[in-house]
Amino acid sequence: MGEDIVVAADHNALKNRAQKKSMQSVVISGEELANATARTTQDTLNLIPNVNMAHSYDFLNSFIVVRGLQEVNNSTSPLQIVVDGVPQNNQKEAFLDMVDVSSVEVMSGPQGALFGNGALGGATVITTKPPTNAYHGFVQGSYGNGAYYQGLAGLSGAMVKDKVFFRLSGGSDGFGGLIRNTYLDRNVDHINHNDSVQGRIIALPTDWLSMDFRVHYNWFKAGAEQDSIVTGTNDFARPSSDLEGASWGHVANATVKLDAQLGFATLTTITGLTDLADANRGDLDFSNLKQNPLGLGGLGAVGQGQDLAYRGISQEVRLTSRQDRPFRWVTGFYYNHQDRALQTKGFFDLNHTRDQYNDPSLVIIDHNEFDKDYAWAAYGQMEYDITKHLTLTAGTRYDSINRNQTDLSDGSQRSKTYSRPQPRVTLTWHFTPNHLLYATYSEGFRPGGFNAPGVPVAPFKAEHLDNYELGFKTAWLDNRLTLNGAFYYEKDRNFQFFYVDVATASQIIGNIDKADIYGGEVQLQALLARGLTFSAGLGTTHSQVVKSSSYAGVIGNYTPRTIPWKLNVALQYERRLWRDLNGFVRGDFEHRGHEYWQVDNLNVQSQINLVNARLGLKWGNYSVYVWGKNLTNEQYFEDYNPKAFSGAAYDLGWLAEPRTYGVEARASF
């Protein structure tokens, strides 16, 4: 056995495998993430055509939009995120630091046949770096404007040579902020601390059995509820609330994965455990009494807060056939149980302190719920090479989710089960070893559920999607050039979308009866010269409301949060300058078209252009870089809540970060 064991496919193998898949998928290595200064899932997903991830409300909260399908708070995501084989089933688990990541694969289009009801719009598979047989380690530090800092470190090696291996890594970062609250005269986008540690042990007790154990813990404290009162999507006013927001909590995960080689197939079991706590406090009227003496609806100054406690356990058993046969298959069973306690309060704000949340005499709104989800699924998929050039893929997964909600204020309960198969059929023509065409029909499914107790909004319905897709994947010039693309057409029923109701301090999920979504994606990667690479991705999404029984006058409109088109371009050059001294430069450009914030399409964000850059030197095991993000200091909103839907007397916008820049140094050993 060599010095470095391979417990996960190497990056080139993953890219080659992705190039053979009959779907649009992008594989990004950990090194490529570092080259793009992509530190989080938000940075990573925003590199992908037809995918956008925004950050708002509190530290863990995010909104993902993929091919026009949007994230909804407190329910199922349209993009299933899987870390080392374990689905991240809570929406608050989507915003992750990309610390010690080996690779990320983003697959667009419904992936429910294998990944289940959380993959309505696609799936993202994150693989952390595996342990090594030889000892390796690294330390890394960064510092930037706004008093940003980040420190990372890791160590890997053998506990028993060739048999038991470990990897331990962790990091800490903080940020003083750059968005000033004009009333409080201090920055409100700060990160007090964001710390994480993760460990992984892999054991190979026999030549047919591997055992993979992983734990991860992250704890944080940061700003929250920093929305600004604005008069429109081009009004980039600063926050002016008199109650500063804050969020804090932790995310803990543990994973046990066993792989047994049975000769004819591989038996895999994956057990995942999650414990998550997230709390936030902040302003509810988002103003101060000088500018708004009546406060919220004449009630005066009002604050809000939310406490979330989540625990989940998942178990998957999977049997995968050998892949060197003309007939290949996979089958499995999945079980998941989730407990979620969620309390949301609105309270009179008498002294602008967050601990007023705990004073019963000040509470004016109290939604207190306990939710239990029981889910199971059975799935199977086969691939058959009809001829040397023609392959049929067919599979399905049947998901059943039972949702139970208890109103803790009066003990009342409600329960409902959502079930549906998610088939997929693909015909692939490999007309040369490096060129393929495919045609796919697939279905996606997202369960319905209950809004908060006491909210006068009906339970939201399950969403179902029919997807028709034609695509191609090609490699040219001895793989120096790859060009992939697809056209998709989706018919969506009961489209789920999210909005807030300030008057009841509620987060609401609603439905649009029918929507049609169609568009395309083109991705290009080219090695232009030695050390010089170019990549580009273009995605288009045209969504249209076809039927709406709850909202009048919206037929023909874009669905909420649609960005009709998006372009990503990157140019990178690396060359030797002297002996083992290499120079490195990279530039990234992202163009986003207009963003349609709500179903009425009355609030539309202008097109934005984002420019990032990275410049550095590498020699041996050492490197130093300077980096910049949003270098043109583009102003835009990551989130926008118009008054027509929020119930407030004004629109609310969450400002994106302005220009950031800094230095980074790394040493490996």
Side-chain angles (χ1 to χ4, degrees), residues 496-647:
Q496 293 179 9
F497 73 105
F498 174 82
Y499 60 96
V500 297
D501 182 5
V502 173
T504 61
S506 303
Q507 299 172 338
I508 307 296
I509 302 172
N511 292 105
I512 296 169
D513 298 282
K514 292 183 180 180
D516 289 346
I517 306 172
Y518 61 88
E521 293 153 1
V522 179
Q523 302 169 49
L524 180 147
Q525 291 187 331
L527 178 62
L528 302 179
R530 184 176 181 181
L532 179 63
T533 58
F534 172 81
S535 62
L538 174 66
T540 66
T541 300
H542 184 89
S543 64
Q544 186 178 45
V545 177
V546 175
K547 180 181 178 183
S548 174
S549 57
S550 300
Y551 309 96
V554 301
I555 304 302
N557 285 1
Y558 286 103
T559 56
R561 290 183 174 267
T562 291
I563 300 175
W565 72 289
K566 176 184 167 187
L567 172 69
N568 291 86
V569 177
L571 186 65
Q572 178 178 304
Y573 184 50
E574 183 174 356
R575 64 166 295 172
R576 189 176 68 174
L577 300 177
W578 181 71
R579 294 188 177 179
D580 64 346
L581 179 66
N582 289 342
F584 174 91
V585 61
R586 177 184 171 110
D588 282 89
F589 172 77
E590 178 184 352
H591 174 86
R592 298 180 198 169
H594 295 89
E595 183 162 3
Y596 294 79
W597 290 110
Q598 264 302 349
V599 66
D600 57 13
N601 286 188
L602 297 179
N603 303 95
V604 183
Q605 179 155 275
S606 300
Q607 303 179 68
I608 61 173
N609 298 296
L610 302 175
V611 179
N612 301 338
R614 187 176 177 90
L615 175 68
L617 297 172
K618 296 193 288 187
W619 62 100
N621 294 328
Y622 304 94
S623 60
V624 61
Y625 299 93
V626 294
W627 52 266
K629 306 181 77 170
N630 190 11
L631 287 175
T632 58
N633 209 28
E634 185 85 72
Q635 293 189 90
Y636 64 101
F637 293 112
E638 289 204 62
D639 192 17
Y640 194 94
N641 290 286
K643 60 185 178 183
F645 282 80
S646 71

Side-chain angles (χ1 to χ4, degrees), residues 178-189 224-230 235-245 283 285-288 291 637 652-656:
L178 292 169
I179 298 176
R180 201 78 171 169
N181 181 305
T182 58
Y183 181 78
L184 298 175
D185 194 28
R186 54 179 175 264
N187 295 335
V188 291
D189 57 328
E225 281 101 338
Q226 62 191 54
D227 295 76
S228 304
I229 294 175
V230 295
D235 175 17
F236 301 110
R238 299 293 175 179
S240 58
S241 58
D242 49 22
L243 177 55
E244 183 180 1
D283 213 313
D285 56 84
F286 298 99
S287 62
N288 61 78
Q291 71 176 135
F637 293 112
L652 298 170
W654 180 285
L655 289 170

Side-chain angles (χ1 to χ4, degrees), residues 82 143 175 215 289 306 327 350 453 455 478 491 524 631 654:
V82 179
Y143 187 80
F175 183 45
V215 293
L289 293 179
Q306 191 172 71
F327 180 73
L350 303 183
V455 174
D478 197 23
K491 296 186 72 65
L524 180 147
L631 287 175
W654 180 285

Side-chain angles (χ1 to χ4, degrees), residues 98-112:
M98 307 302 280
V99 177
D100 225 16
V101 167
S102 173
S103 67
V104 178
E105 182 176 10
V106 182
M107 294 167 274
S108 299
Q111 304 297 324

